[in-house]
């Protein structure tokens, strides 16, 4: 029976035009955006060719060391080249180097600071080695000696928390997405409850189904819908991030983020949706829903903002630690603190356990409010009244 | 024999006593009409039967056992406040409701097709409920009460808002269900309809069941009345035990303790003038209702 209700709920929500269109738009934006943006954001695989006159051939190893190697932006090719007079002489190449290894001349079709810097560095290195040789030394020995000479660093004071900018940004994105998915599913379930109430169909339903079953079915159905919604939101973004090589560039641990997102989605969903589904039964018309949604928005936004602002300021402060254990805050606090690496494993476990424990309590409260309030037509029912029954 | 028994239901909302010891039973095959003024307690009684509302005292039994969720899935219910998902298609919705009552998908589909056919909304199966006219929504509502082949029917104001054709269809369906052995309880303000349709009638007044019986039982009064019309005489003579009061021009109401005494009055009337009509007067349900309601008001 629960399944039947869940299935209807899922079908109605997922196949609704608004939901299909918004998912489609998101998909087109993320995937299309990534496809279009790729050529601008990611350098293509072909390195720019720089011709080096054979007079300066000795410079090439130094150039390769500075700006060459695998994945390099430049490829230095030795060739006999004349001094270019005008842009046509350069042809397809990105630059021409003439002169000698220690006094190179660089010709460019347009200003290119990175290349100029690389050439300067390479020629200095060549000159440096040449001086060592002229003094009777071995450049390789000198390089080895230099490499050995590194200081040992010991931090005597508190080690500052590592602020991983990319991890932080990724965590913010996850928490905000979590917030959106949760708030969306919570409002969907509230609208569903009020729709049944205002259309009075609930009276027919309750003549054959228990209120708890009805609410349970709705929560389950909306949950499945929310998963589809979340997937429709996360997958295109992940695809875009992967396709644009953002993930590789920033070294973001996608798996941890996804696990975090999934776990706290399920827990946060159970906590918020069940409660709001029950509370929604207090009102009889969509117009009155605001009275119930406003506190709900606060209940979700305060934890979200605290997670985003408080955690970076004091990742291990007492307030942060305490709030982490409060069920309504945990879904946002834990992923943020995990991103900062400032959370102990026992804290995560405790937060999950506290959430799991609070769920049956919330289900009980919501079920009680729901079953008492759902047949109360007319004005708004007071929460206390519904609880007392 | 199947019976739905309502036994001593009481329900208060705060200080308002909505139901006070209401008892009646409806055997299978009976059409039970439930009449009463607005706010008398009809809807409350029906909601309690359906378990949508909890009674403060009393119980509802089906074949001797308390009505539980399992029995309730066998009840067809039409709430006073009509309710269907406005944005769900008629066919889908009926199938869904039938399945909530425990039918398989295939059976539910067959039943949905049958009832939309019978109730004349077959062409609208693919339309969303909110696109239907009010009358057609009403038919769909009845279909939703019938689609799972219920063993008991509880219908709150099933005739309100229906055109005469739909009323006829609805009446036929109710009669047909009753003939199939289903106890049918329905409330209505259309008393002539109740009188014509019902085997038994219950009249509620301020939460109390003030009359309950077959139409004939209720109409049987202590003093028998006849209506006499005659020409050629100012007034018929009144024999012993008979009172005669004028009832319009050339017409009188004859009240007598028995039919024999009334017959004597007729004989003397025939002797004194030309009798054009002499017929028993039986109160209509409307009269009964008015009497019952005002009587109890006086008593209170």
């Amino acid at each position: 029976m629960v399944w039947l209700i869940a299935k209807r709920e899922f079908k109605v929500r997922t196949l609704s035009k608004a939901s299909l269109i918004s998912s489609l738009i998101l998909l087109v934006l993320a995937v299309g955006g990534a496809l279009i943006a790729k050529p601008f954001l990611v350098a293509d695989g072909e390195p720019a060719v720089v011709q080096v006159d054979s007079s300066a051939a000795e410079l090439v190893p130094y150039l390769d060391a500075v700006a060459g190697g695998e994945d390099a932006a430049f490829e230095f090719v030795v060739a006999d080249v004349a001094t270019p007079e005008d842009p046509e002489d350069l042809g397809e190449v990105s630059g021409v180097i003439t002169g000698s290894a220690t006094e190179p001349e660089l010709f460019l079709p347009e200003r290119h600071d990175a290349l100029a810097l690389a050439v300067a560095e390479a020629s200095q290195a060549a000159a440096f080695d040449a001086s060592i040789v002229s003094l009777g030394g071995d450049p390789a020995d000198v390089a080895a000696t230099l490499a050995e000479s590194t200081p040992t660093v010991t931090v005597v004071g508190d080690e500052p928390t590592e602020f991983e900018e990319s991890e932080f940004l990724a965590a913010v994105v996850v928490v905000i997405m979590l917030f959106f998915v949760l708030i969306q599913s919570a409002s969907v379930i509230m609208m569903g409850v009020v729709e049944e109430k205002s259309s009075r169909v609930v009276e027919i339903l309750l003549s054959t189904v228990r209120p708890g079953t009805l609410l349970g079915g709705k929560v389950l159905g909306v949950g499945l819908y929310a998963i589809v919604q979340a997937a429709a939101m996360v997958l295109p973004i992940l695809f875009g991030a992967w396709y644009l090589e953002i993930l590789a560039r920033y070294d973001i641990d996608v798996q941890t983020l996804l696990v975090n997102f999934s776990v706290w989605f399920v827990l946060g969903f159970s906590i918020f949706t069940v409660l709001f589904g029950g509370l929604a039964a207090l009102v009889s018309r969509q117009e009155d829903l605001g009275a119930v949604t406003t506190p709900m928005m606060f209940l979700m936004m305060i934890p979200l903002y605290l997670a985003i602002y408080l955690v970076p300021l004091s990742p291990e402060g007492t307030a942060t630690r305490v709030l982490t254990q409060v069920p309504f805050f945990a879904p946002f606090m834990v992923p943020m603190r995990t991103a900062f690496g400032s959370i102990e494993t026992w804290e995560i476990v405790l937060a999950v356990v506290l959430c799991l424990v609070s769920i049956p309590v919330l289900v009980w409260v919501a079920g009680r409010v729901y079953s008492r309030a759902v047949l109360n037509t007319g004005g708004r029912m007071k929460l206390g009244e519904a609880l007392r029954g | 024999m199947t019976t739905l028994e309502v036994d001593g239901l009481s329900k208060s909302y705060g200080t308002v006593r909505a139901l006070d010891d209401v008892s009646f039973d409806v055997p299978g095959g009976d059409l039970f009409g439930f009449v009463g003024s607005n706010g008398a307690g009809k809807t409350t009684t029906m909601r309690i039967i359906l378990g949508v509302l909890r009674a403060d005292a009393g119980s509802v039994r089906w074949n001797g056992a308390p009505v539980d969720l399992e029995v309730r899935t066998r009840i067809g219910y039409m709430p006073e406040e009509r309710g269907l998902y406005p944005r769900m298609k008629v066919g889908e919705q009926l199938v869904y409701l039938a399945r909530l009552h425990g039918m398989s998908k295939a059976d539910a589909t067959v039943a949905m097709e049958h009832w939309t056919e019978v109730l004349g909304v077959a062409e609208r199966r693919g339309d969303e409920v909110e696109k239907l006219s009010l009358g057609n929504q009403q038919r769909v509502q009845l279909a939703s009460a019938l689609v799972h082949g219920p063993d008991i029917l509880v219908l709150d104001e099933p005739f309100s808002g229906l055109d005469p054709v739909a009323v006829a269809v609805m009446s036929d369906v109710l009669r047909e269900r009753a003939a199939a052995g289903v106890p049918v309880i329905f409330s209505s303000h259309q008393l002539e309809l109740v009188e014509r349709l019902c085997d038994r009638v219950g009249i509620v007044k301020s939460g109390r069941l003030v009359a309950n019986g077959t139409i004939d039982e209720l109409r049987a009064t202590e003093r028998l009345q006849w209506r006499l019309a005659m020409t050629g005489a100012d007034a018929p003579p009144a024999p012993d035990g008979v009172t005669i009061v004028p009832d319009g021009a050339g017409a009188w109401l004859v009240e007598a303790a028995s039919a024999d005494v009334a017959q004597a009055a007729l004989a003397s009337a025939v002797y004194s003038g030309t009798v054009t009509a002499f017929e028993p007067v039986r109160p209509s349900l409307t009269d009964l209702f008015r009497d019952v309601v005002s009587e109890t008001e006086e008593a209170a």
Side-chain angles (χ1 to χ4, degrees), chain A residues 40-107:
Chain A
F40 300 101
L41 289 178
V42 180
D44 47 15
E46 293 287 298
V49 173
V50 178
Q51 283 184 334
V52 183
D53 187 53
S54 37
S55 63
E58 277 173 43
L59 192 60
V60 172
Y62 296 101
L63 283 169
D64 280 342
V66 173
E70 275 178 63
D71 293 335
F74 303 106
E75 189 186 351
F76 300 97
V77 182
V78 179
D80 287 318
V81 278
T83 306
E85 303 281 324
D86 54 76
E88 274 93 72
D89 293 349
L90 286 167
E92 292 289 300
V93 301
S94 306
V96 169
I97 298 169
T98 60
S100 69
T102 47
E103 282 168 23
E105 287 179 58
L106 176 62
F107 297 90

Side-chain angles (χ1 to χ4, degrees), chain A residues 207-229:
Chain A
S207 68
T208 179
V209 185
R210 284 196 184 85
T213 315
L214 188 57
L215 184 61
K218 292 186 87 70
V219 169
L220 190 64
V222 172
L224 292 175
Y225 159 76
I227 289 173
V228 171
Q229 280 300 99

